[in-house]
Amino acid sequence: MTRLSASMEPVLERLAQEDAGLGDPTLMAPRLGRALAEMTNARWNADLPPMETRTVLIGDLPARLATPPNDDGRHAILHVHGGGWAFCSALTHEGAARRLALACGCPVLTFDYRLAPENPFPAGLDDVEAAWEARDRTRHWSIAGDSAGANLALALMLRRISAETDLPQMGLLFYGVYGADFETASYRTYAAGPGLTRDKMQRYWDWYCPAGDRKEATVSPLAADDAALRALPPLYLNAAEIDPLCSDSDQLAARLHALGRNDPYDRIEGVVHGFMQMGSILPEARAAFARVGEVFQQTV
């Protein structure tokens, strides 16, 4: 099993101490689990990069807009937060949104979409599309997402390819959920964590898609056909090495590259799922945002 990086190990030790006795939010009633997720993610909003931020509506959805001092005036990014389709919010991802905005040199809009299990597929995806349709058309928009947010961001692009309508300029996808195969190499290796576990992911899937076809492309993007993947806009992908979902990104990157696409893909060694939330204290998270910004500015 891969070793944690020298920076990641003390972070996990700190989290174990801070979260001792709090319980597993996926085993709680959704309302209680969400309150716990909001509380534990608040620690990542320390030492925020200074920039203009304001609460707005994107269509009917509550949102946060972060505009960095290096705004290029031409681009913007719609950011879809992770949290297993069931937890987290624009507020929990305030730090990530600001760091993404600063790295890419453009505003980042993060919003609250309907959450499972009360609102299973396709409610969250419908809200992502509603936010996309309500965007400010004076800028060139890309889309980003982490974990379940990366699933929704990629699903939106695939849905719009099927509908033959406008697409984001670029997709930025961080340690995403792209399939529901719980027997991949990374699921087997990291079934018990550290961090995210296979049991938690199975519960997230049971909440998000309890019935219906999990092999439909807008649920499991790895099920998309080659023509749809070929039609995607330029992508950037990364993965956390110590993560049950790592194989999802490996498989997606391999398929894209087999189609002759040159989408950059980075597997970040020694870190766990969700590491980009930890930008206030984790060097690998800060380096990841810098890398995203570099690729973004070279591509758009």
Side-chain angles (χ1 to χ4, degrees):
M1 184 176 292
T2 306
R3 290 181 60 86
L4 294 165
S5 76
S7 302
M8 188 80 258
E9 189 168 8
V11 172
L12 290 188
E13 291 173 355
R14 169 189 158 180
L15 297 184
Q17 293 176 353
E18 292 179 354
D19 296 349
L22 292 181
D24 179 349
T26 69
L27 295 175
M28 301 175 183
R31 178 181 59 83
L32 297 177
R34 287 186 196 123
L36 179 57
E38 293 288 321
M39 182 187 75
T40 55
N41 275 277
R43 59 189 157 214
W44 307 128
N45 287 333
D47 299 320
L48 295 175
M51 64 185 64
E52 178 190 344
T53 59
R54 55 194 176 100
T55 299
V56 297
L57 286 176
I58 179 75
D60 295 326
L61 302 171
R64 292 279 293 168
L65 181 67
T67 302
N70 58 338
D71 178 14
D72 67 10
R74 297 181 297 117
H75 298 96
I77 298 170
L78 184 70
H79 181 271
V80 189
H81 71 77
W85 303 287
F87 300 140
C88 295
S89 64
L91 185 59
T92 63
H93 283 62
E94 175 86 10
R98 290 199 195 192
R99 291 182 177 89
L100 183 63
L102 192 62
C104 294
C106 68
V108 169
L109 183 67
T110 305
F111 60 100
D112 294 337
Y113 53 88
R114 285 173 292 171
L115 299 173
E118 300 94 330
N119 302 286
F121 175 84
L125 180 56
D126 289 344
D127 286 351
V128 174
E129 186 157 36
W132 175 255
E133 290 287 357
R135 72 195 187 279
D136 173 5
R137 305 298 176 107
T138 66
R139 288 182 180 252
H140 302 292
W141 284 79
S142 295
I143 194 166
D146 66 305
S147 190
N151 169 285
L152 291 168
L154 184 51
L156 172 75
M157 291 183 272
L158 292 169
R159 176 186 272 188
R160 296 185 75 80
I161 286 168
S162 178
E164 299 182 351
T165 189
D166 64 298
L167 290 166
Q169 191 171 21
M170 186 176 187
L172 307 170
L173 307 176
F174 314 138
Y175 38 85
V177 189
Y178 305 125
D181 179 0
F182 304 113
E183 295 299 328
T184 65
S186 60
Y187 265 115
R188 292 195 302 272
T189 302
Y190 301 112
L196 183 65
T197 68
R198 176 162 54 190
D199 285 348
K200 288 179 181 177
M201 278 308 308
Q202 287 175 325
R203 287 192 281 273
Y204 285 138
W205 272 105
D206 287 344
W207 284 357
Y208 181 59
C209 190
D213 187 2
R214 290 184 180 176
K215 294 185 177 180
E216 201 277 318
T218 55
V219 177
S220 298
L222 280 169
D225 61 30
D226 287 351
L229 293 182
R230 194 178 285 114
L232 287 165
L235 303 178
Y236 168 76
L237 293 82
N238 74 18
E241 183 182 27
I242 303 175
D243 182 354
L245 298 179
C246 186
S247 292
D248 282 27
S249 293
D250 286 347
Q251 292 174 24
L252 178 59
R255 285 196 61 194
L256 293 168
H257 294 167
L259 293 171
R261 295 174 54 103
N262 60 353
D263 305 290
Y265 171 47
D266 296 322
R267 190 196 299 175
I268 315 301
E269 296 181 357
V271 298
V272 302
H273 186 82
F275 77 98
M276 289 176 73
Q277 280 287 88
M278 307 171 188
S280 59
I281 60 172
L282 187 68
E284 288 91 341
R286 295 193 290 270
F289 281 113
R291 167 66 168 157
V292 173
E294 174 188 4
V295 174
F296 180 80
Q297 293 185 40
Q298 290 174 350
T299 304
V300 297

